[in-house]
Amino acid sequence: MRTNASTIKSWCGAGAAFITLLGFVWHYLYDLSGENNILGAIVPVNESVWEHLKLGYWGLLLFSVVEYFFIRCKVNNYYLAKLTGLLVLEDCILLVHYTYLALSGHISIGIDIASFVMAVVLCQYAACTIYRAPAGSRRRERLAVAAWAALGILLVITTYFPPRYEIFRDRNTNAFGIEKRTASSE
């Protein structure tokens, strides 16, 4: 038995609201936690673009865990839909950020916030669309789970061991990853 389109749309809308609200709260959790380095694995530890990708990743993951129990068996391509939504979300954030930065030469918090909200909505729209597509193979679903997990592991590892590339640099402190507090206190 398949879930009707309005139920799927309701879940996608609820997901967009949840991920957006959680993203706003999680943006400040590292500071509010007294800079808890364990919590830093899943919340942004600095103002780099890369660290802010965690907001979408972990918010979507948490929502997906809840959603799984209600609609997983009632939609097609659950894991592929979630992975596609995640990639749309992350790519949208990066595309908007680097496009406006290239055009204007400066960071805009307003545009970054708006792009996050837009990316979350597009993420959920993409997932909602794939739920209704013909069912794919189990192999494709397993690969989607593996890719999702790999990105999560990458986000955690680069918090503690960030490469020295611009995407990982906090523009406020010039530090990378969790070293933010150490670098700014020297």
Side-chain angles (χ1 to χ4, degrees):
M1 176 176 174
R2 290 282 165 228
T3 301
N4 66 36
S6 66
T7 301
I8 292 172
K9 287 179 185 176
S10 295
W11 274 101
C12 290
F18 177 85
I19 296 162
T20 300
L21 291 174
L22 187 68
F24 289 132
V25 171
W26 276 26
H27 183 271
Y28 301 100
L29 273 184
Y30 184 68
D31 288 332
L32 292 173
S33 73
E35 300 172 6
N36 181 300
N37 287 346
I38 294 170
L39 185 60
I42 61 172
V43 300
V45 298
N46 68 34
E47 291 298 322
S48 72
V49 177
W50 181 261
E51 283 293 311
H52 283 76
L53 296 180
K54 291 179 185 178
L55 299 174
Y57 181 91
W58 296 106
L60 181 57
L61 179 64
L62 286 175
F63 184 77
S64 298
V65 168
V66 173
E67 182 185 50
Y68 175 91
F69 294 104
F70 292 94
I71 70 167
R72 161 62 187 102
C73 294
K74 298 175 182 176
V75 298
N76 293 328
N77 312 305
Y78 183 78
Y79 299 110
L80 179 63
K82 291 298 167 184
L83 176 63
T84 302
L86 174 66
L87 295 175
V88 166
L89 193 158
E90 307 288 80
D91 290 347
C92 183
I93 290 170
L94 293 171
L95 180 67
V96 170
H97 178 80
Y98 285 111
T99 299
Y100 87 74
L101 184 60
L103 295 174
S104 71
H106 67 277
I107 300 294
S108 169
I109 293 171
I111 294 174
D112 284 338
I113 291 170
S115 73
F116 177 70
V117 174
M118 178 183 69
V120 169
V121 169
L122 291 174
C123 157
Q124 290 300 96
Y125 179 79
C128 189
T129 301
I130 292 174
Y131 286 157
R132 295 185 298 237
S137 69
R138 287 186 183 185
R139 181 173 186 261
R140 188 170 67 178
E141 288 286 281
R142 285 191 299 268
L143 287 172
V145 170
W148 182 292
L151 182 55
I153 291 167
L154 184 64
L155 285 167
V156 171
I157 289 172
T158 55
T159 295
Y160 302 101
F161 306 101
R164 299 297 198 223
Y165 295 112
E166 186 64 23
I167 192 171
F168 298 97
R169 185 175 67 84
D170 180 335
R171 289 183 170 268
N172 297 330
T173 66
N174 288 323
F176 294 83
I178 208 148
E179 75 183 27
K180 170 186 169 190
R181 304 304 180 199
T182 306
S184 61
S185 64
E186 291 178 353

